C-alpha cells in the first residue's frame, strides 16, 4: 500500500491558505474532510500525512486529528509534536512516512497538505511499489475567488493529462458515505466535492 490520496480544498486559481490557516470557515466541508479521512473498516485506521506547517495550522484542540494516525513530515527531527506517539509521529520524508503503511492495521493513506507536501507527492511517478498519488479528493471552491490566498496547490490536471475526473457515484462509493452532488453553499461560499484519479 504505497498509493496515497490527496485531500484538499482549493479555489479555481488553486489557492489553499492565507496567513497560516484556511482562508474560509466551512464547517460542513471540514466535516466531509473528517469523515473521508476517518472512514476505515473495523480494527483499522487511516494515516493522515502532513507537513509541519499544516500541523501547526490545525487548531490545537483538534490535533492530533482523532481516530487517525497523524504523521508529520519535517526535516527537523527534534521538532516537538507535543502529542503521544501512538497518535502522532514525526518522519523526515514522505518515503519514511509511507513505510508506516502496515496493511494489517492501516487502511488508507491521505496526504492532507500543505503546498510543499502536495507538490512533492504529485511529482512522484506512478509506481506499483514506490509511494505515489493516484487519487485527489478535491473540494473546488467556486466563489468568492479568495484572491488574497498566499499559499497555492499545484495545478495537477494541467501538469499531467492522465488525471481524469470520476463520476459522483464513484466518489460516494470510494468514500463509503453519502456526499452531496453539485454546487454547495455555506457562509456565502459555493463549492463542489470532486474526485480525480490517475491511471
Ligand atoms: N481538505 C478539505 N477538503 N478541506 C479542508 O478544510 C482541508 N484542510 C486541510 C487539508 N485538507 C483539507 C488542512 N487543514 C482541520 C483543520 C484544518 C485542516 C485540516 C483539519 C480540523 O480541525 N479537522 C477536524 C475537524 C473537526 C470539525 O468537524 O470541526 C477533524 O477531526 O478532521
Amino acid at each position: 500500500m504505497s498509493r496515497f490520496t490527496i485531500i484538499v480544498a482549493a479555489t479555481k486559481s488553486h489557492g489553499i491558505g492565507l496567513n497560516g490557516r484556511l482562508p474560509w470557515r466551512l464547517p460542513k466541508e471540514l466535516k466531509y474532510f473528517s469523515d473521508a479521512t476517518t472512514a476505515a473498516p473495523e480494527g483499522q485506521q487511516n494515516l493522515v500525512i502532513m507537513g509541519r506547517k499544516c500541523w501547526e495550522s490545525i487548531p490545537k484542540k483538534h490535533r492530533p486529528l482523532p481516530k487517525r494516525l497523524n504523521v508529520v513530515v519535517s526535516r527537523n527531527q527534534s521538532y516537538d509534536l507535543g502529542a503521544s506517539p501512538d497518535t502522532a509521529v514525526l518522519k523526515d520524508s514522505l518515503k519514511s512516512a509511507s513505510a508506516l503503511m502496515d496493511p494489517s492495521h492501516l487502511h488508507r493513506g491521505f496526504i492532507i497538505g500543505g503546498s510543499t507536501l502536495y507538490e512533492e507527492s504529485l511529482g512522484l511517478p506512478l509506481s506499483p511499489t514506490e509511494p505515489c498519488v493516484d487519487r485527489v479528493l478535491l473540494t473546488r471552491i467556486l466563489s468568492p475567488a479568495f484572491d488574497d490566498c498566499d499559499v497555492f496547490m499545484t495545478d495537477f490536471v494541467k501538469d499531467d493529462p492522465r488525471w481524469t475526473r470520476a463520476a459522483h457515484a464513484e466518489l460516494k462509493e470510494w468514500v463509503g458515505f453519502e456526499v452531496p452532488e453539485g454546487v454547495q453553499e455555506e457562509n456565502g461560499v459555493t463549492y463542489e466535492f470532486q474526485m480525480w484519479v490517475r491511471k
Side-chain angles (χ1 to χ4, degrees):
M1 235 309 273
S2 54
R3 296 273 172 117
F4 292 101
T5 296
I6 281 181
I7 185 162
V8 63
T11 67
K12 289 197 263 186
S13 49
H14 319 291
I16 61 169
L18 175 66
N19 299 328
R21 47 185 205 87
L22 296 169
W24 40 76
R25 201 188 70 82
L26 302 171
K28 287 181 190 152
E29 205 292 312
L30 206 52
K31 171 82 162 53
Y32 167 79
F33 167 90
S34 178
D35 290 347
T37 55
T38 304
E42 186 76 49
Q44 291 192 318
Q45 274 198 348
N46 295 323
L47 217 60
V48 283
I49 304 174
M50 69 202 92
R52 190 262 307 162
K53 289 182 188 169
C54 180
W55 168 261
E56 289 178 355
S57 82
I58 298 171
K60 272 207 174 88
K61 62 171 193 261
H62 286 146
R63 69 184 204 225
L65 298 174
K67 298 184 203 140
R68 289 148 282 183
L69 178 58
N70 290 231
V71 183
V72 179
V73 176
S74 173
R75 280 176 202 95
N76 176 7
Q77 284 302 287
S78 25
Y79 183 76
D80 183 12
L81 290 174
S84 104
D86 58 327
T87 58
V89 293
L90 189 65
K91 290 285 160 187
D92 65 1
S93 68
L94 195 59
K95 186 153 171 119
S96 56
S98 63
L100 286 167
M101 278 308 287
D102 164 14
S104 65
H105 291 97
L106 294 172
H107 180 48
R108 289 170 171 164
F110 290 90
I111 295 171
I112 70 164
S115 61
T116 308
L117 217 51
Y118 288 146
E119 185 175 358
E120 188 187 329
S121 58
L122 284 165
L124 298 168
L126 266 187
S127 155
T129 50
E130 295 301 303
C132 59
V133 173
D134 67 353
R135 189 178 305 271
V136 177
L137 295 181
L138 169 68
T139 300
R140 180 64 84 201
I141 308 291
L142 300 167
S143 69
F146 290 100
D147 279 326
D148 52 348
C149 284
D150 59 9
V151 186
F152 297 83
M153 155 98 181
T154 318
D155 186 352
F156 59 98
V157 180
K158 192 180 166 202
D159 290 350
D160 185 343
R162 287 174 300 178
W163 283 107
T164 50
R165 189 174 164 185
H168 192 77
E170 271 187 72
L171 164 56
K172 286 199 285 190
E173 189 177 36
W174 192 81
V175 297
F177 55 84
E178 277 301 316
V179 179
E181 183 173 7
V183 179
Q184 309 300 305
E185 205 257 272
E186 216 180 341
N187 293 334
V189 177
T190 65
Y191 61 87
E192 188 179 23
F193 296 114
Q194 304 181 356
M195 182 167 78
W196 291 77
V197 290
R198 177 166 64 165
K199 292 197 181 90

